[in-house]
Amino acid sequence: MKSTTLLAVVSTATLALARKCHDIKVPVSISAENMVFDLEPPTTEIDVTNFYLNLAQQGANFPGALTTGTAKVSGHYVLQTTYCEPDDGPGHTLQVMTHGVGFDRSYWDLPFQAPKYSYVAEAVDVHGYSTLTWDRLGVGMSTHPDDTVNETQLALEVAALKALTKRLRAGKVCDIPTPYHSIVHLGHSFGSAITYNLVNDDPKISQGIVLTGFSQISDFLGQFALGANFVPVREVAALAARYEEGYIAAGSAVGVHIAFLPPGGEFDPDILDFGFAHAQPHTTGELLTVGVGTGEINAFAGPCMIITGERDVPFCGGDCMGTAPVDGKFDNLIQASAPMFPQASVFNATVVPKAAHGLHFGYSAPDVFATILDFLGTQV
Ligand SMILES: *[C@@H]1O[C@H](CO)[C@@H](O)[C@H](O)[C@H]1NC(C)=O
Ligand SMILES: *[C@@H]1O[C@H](CO)[C@@H](O)[C@H](O)[C@H]1NC(C)=O
């Protein structure tokens, strides 16, 4: 009897620290000016490899060569989100997070040795934020648009994030009645490119941004395109039943390692297997539009952090401290983005030693979380 009471007290105490999360589907009606590509979705191994060989060819201007113009795309889509708040009610600020290519919304709350690799757990349980993660269009449990070339593209996903943010700010998402006056946006990789465009289009929409796994150096995207061992989704057992033809995913754990993880024993080998088992696909329309708008000077006037691992392959060619592509004019390749944010109240470039593009998968993940949360806590 006594030990049962003790157990009850202990579990209540544990619960007191636990965040409250629930999955919410958010319908949005959106439109965007997308690019039109003269391309059939690649569906065979050879077609997929040809696509990436062309994308990675030096000096090729591959997206440009395929473009026949732009067209307005509009539709109704359903976004799968997960909302979390501290157990004693809504947090002081809402963090909205957009994942990158290769993952779904669980990137922000990895269920691997939880909560060690969970940014969400740290943000909500320790720092008192509310969080909202969403599956990008085409990924996971959000709508998979019919056209993987002309529809699922950066511009449409920017429109989706904008619609979602406006509803959250107004307290108009069913099951999240709290109107949030303070909303910050985090992105990873392609999700950072989406966030970059969001705040450039509508600078007041966010009170702060953190672009993770990102830079504005495009020279090295080809290394990612070739190194990730991309194959048609039907060849990846974990994904074949859930995605239509035209989706593309990493074909092996080796591809995931090259694209996302550092060399030198800086990650738990089991998290690589976990990462491959939970990897998600992307579309050609997304990879062809990853650079849209990110060469424009950004109008955002709030605090901005860009953070990635020193060994980031797609955005730094495996060395963010190597400054050759920027003529040695900046301390590192991330700092080279400073002139792109002339109005930002603070611009912070952070290169994380020994980490790579998939910042949440390395042993340094807790340091990454602490750095981001320190920035948001002191600057927003
Ligand atoms: C995208 O649009 C172009 C122009 O209409 C067309 O040639 C191409 O087949 C379309 N792609 C898909 C996958 O429908
Ligand atoms: C960037 O922000 C982090 C977190 O607040 C801080 O530790 C670091 O000193 C900042 N870097 C610069 C160059 O200000």
Side-chain angles (χ1 to χ4, degrees):
M1 194 66 189
K2 219 172 178 180
S3 66
T4 313
T5 313
L6 186 63
L7 198 67
V9 170
V10 169
S11 59
T12 313
T14 312
L15 275 176
L17 280 172
R19 62 197 191 274
K20 290 183 300 194
C21 297
H22 50 282
D23 292 344
I24 304 169
K25 289 197 187 294
V26 182
V28 291
S29 294
I30 51 175
S31 64
E33 195 70 16
N34 267 9
M35 295 176 81
V36 179
F37 295 109
D38 182 13
L39 175 77
E40 288 306 312
T43 56
T44 68
E45 221 173 58
I46 287 176
D47 287 347
V48 168
T49 304
N50 288 344
F51 176 80
Y52 289 98
L53 284 171
N54 286 330
L55 193 70
Q57 185 186 28
Q58 64 154 317
N61 184 25
F62 181 55
L66 288 180
T67 310
T68 59
T70 63
K72 188 173 168 179
V73 172
S74 43
H76 305 289
Y77 304 90
V78 177
L79 307 179
Q80 178 66 58
T81 73
T82 297
Y83 171 74
C84 298
E85 63 180 34
D87 85 305
D88 58 352
H92 49 87
T93 296
L94 176 65
Q95 299 194 17
V96 176
M97 301 175 217
T98 307
H99 65 86
V101 160
F103 304 103
D104 61 16
R105 70 192 192 286
S106 69
Y107 176 79
W108 303 102
D109 192 5
L110 289 181
F112 179 86
Q113 294 176 5
K116 193 170 165 192
Y117 294 90
S118 170
Y119 174 80
V120 167
E122 188 72 10
V124 178
D125 290 340
V126 183
H127 294 264
Y129 287 90
S130 295
T131 60
L132 186 109
T133 59
W134 63 295
D135 282 347
R136 287 196 341 256
L137 290 174
V139 177
M141 291 159 71
S142 288
T143 304
H144 296 184
D146 295 332
D147 185 334
T148 52
V149 175
N150 294 326
E151 190 176 6
T152 307
Q153 292 185 6
L154 179 131
L156 191 64
E157 307 210 46
V158 172
L161 181 57
K162 189 180 290 189
L164 181 61
T165 303
K166 291 197 162 156
R167 288 185 51 178
L168 289 163
R169 193 176 292 285
K172 293 233 165 75
V173 172
C174 290
D175 297 332
I176 313 180
T178 317
Y180 281 95
H181 303 294
S182 180
I183 299 183
V184 297
H185 291 84
L186 283 74
H188 174 239
S189 194
F190 187 60
S192 293
I194 292 170
T195 304
Y196 188 95
N197 280 276
L198 173 81
V199 299
N200 191 25
D201 287 357
D202 188 348
K204 296 256 160 48
I205 200 165
S206 190
Q207 276 60 60
I209 58 170
V210 178
L211 309 177
T212 78
F214 185 71
S215 78
Q216 283 165 284
I217 312 293
S218 57
D219 307 32
F220 306 112
L221 286 167
Q223 294 187 9
F224 174 85
L226 294 183
N229 188 17
F230 288 128
V231 297
V233 76
R234 79 163 104 97
E235 293 186 16
V236 182
L239 301 173
R242 293 163 47 210
Y243 289 90
E244 306 81 56
E245 297 241 306
Y247 283 88
I248 295 163
S252 66
V254 175
V256 172
H257 181 178
I258 291 172
F260 297 106
L261 290 165
E266 303 299 340
F267 63 89
D268 181 336
D270 289 342
I271 208 172
L272 175 57
D273 294 334
F274 171 89
F276 178 55
H278 292 84
Q280 300 295 319
H282 63 274
T283 68
T284 49
E286 290 176 311
L287 274 224
L288 288 170
T289 56
V290 69
V292 167
T294 56
E296 289 173 25
I297 302 273
N298 204 299
F300 186 60
C304 167
M305 167 181 254
I306 306 184
I307 176 169
T308 196
E310 183 182 3
R311 300 301 301 254
D312 187 309
V313 164
F315 289 96
C316 296
D319 184 8
C320 294
M321 304 308 285
T323 60
V326 292
D327 291 336
K329 277 185 292 206
F330 300 96
D331 290 347
N332 59 62
L333 298 183
I334 311 305
Q335 190 64 38
S337 286
M340 303 303 281
F341 284 97
Q343 304 192 51
S345 58
V346 191
F347 176 81
N348 179 302
T350 295
V351 176
V352 183
K354 299 177 181 173
H357 186 56
L359 285 164
H360 295 195
F361 284 84
Y363 287 132
S364 58
D367 300 335
V368 171
F369 303 159
T371 304
I372 294 171
L373 287 160
D374 186 66
F375 177 79
L376 290 174
T378 52
Q379 305 298 346
V380 176

